[in-house]
Amino acid sequence: MRVDCQCGAQAVVSRSERTNPTTADLYCSCKKPECGHSFISTLGFKHSLNTSASFPAGLSLGAYVQGTRIFCGCGKKAVIQKTNRLSSNVSDLYCQCECGHRFVMFRAHSHTLSPSALTTEALTMAIIQSVTPSVRRSLHQQLALF
Ligand SMILES: [Zn+2]
Ligand SMILES: [Zn+2]
């Protein structure tokens, strides 16, 4: 399972916690030491792609997450065939099981545990550059107090 940090580097999934039968929270941390971003990403079952006629029999659950892997409702490990990034925080994962079940999982950024030093710095710089000179002067005075 590949999870990307907001800084563009890859993140490592340290553990996962199931929040309901088909959804889990993944605890991720960025591989880049200077970033240090750790966050929770939610991974869960969205919907099946099979039509009811081609839907495998005996599937009580669409799909579920165990550890950092996606399992089909039949109990076999599913393969991610395609990742469709909908926004910087949300992706659809197209999965296929050998039983014939095809389905979509979603992955969404849930919340940040500790912010990225890189994005915080970039954000701060962007704010400073966007303010008027008078605000910048008062900001400078405020910072001088530290
Ligand atoms: Zn990062
Ligand atoms: Zn299956």
Side-chain angles (χ1 to χ4, degrees), residues 4-142:
D4 290 325
C5 174
Q6 284 163 329
C7 75
Q10 215 177 310
V12 184
V13 181
S14 54
R15 69 190 174 94
S16 88
E17 213 165 74
R18 205 181 289 193
T19 50
N20 76 45
T22 61
T23 311
D25 277 348
L26 305 179
Y27 288 73
C28 312
S29 51
C30 183
K31 267 187 178 172
K32 230 181 195 177
E34 63 266 39
C35 172
H37 186 205
S38 61
F39 56 98
I40 293 178
S41 196
T42 302
L43 180 65
F45 175 65
K46 203 168 174 180
H47 59 83
S48 289
L49 293 168
N50 298 58
T51 59
S52 56
S54 65
F55 203 81
L59 223 60
S60 56
L61 203 65
Y64 59 96
V65 183
Q66 199 165 313
T68 59
R69 293 180 166 185
I70 298 166
F71 286 83
C72 171
C74 73
K76 291 197 184 82
K77 193 175 162 280
V79 178
I80 301 168
Q81 294 196 307
K82 183 162 85 91
T83 303
N84 192 6
R85 185 173 272 224
L86 304 175
S87 75
S88 61
N89 289 336
V90 185
S91 302
D92 273 351
L93 309 174
Y94 286 78
C95 306
Q96 164 107 49
C97 173
E98 59 185 80
C99 74
H101 186 205
R102 292 184 303 119
F103 56 96
V104 183
M105 299 291 284
F106 70 92
R107 194 173 63 211
H109 178 80
S110 172
H111 57 275
T112 291
L113 297 170
S114 84
S116 162
L118 295 175
T119 50
T120 310
E121 194 181 309
L123 207 65
T124 311
M125 292 311 284
I127 292 168
I128 290 171
Q129 274 153 20
S130 68
V131 297
T132 59
S134 69
V135 175
R136 212 177 294 183
R137 264 197 302 279
S138 83
L139 201 65
H140 195 259
Q141 280 161 6
Q142 297 279 329

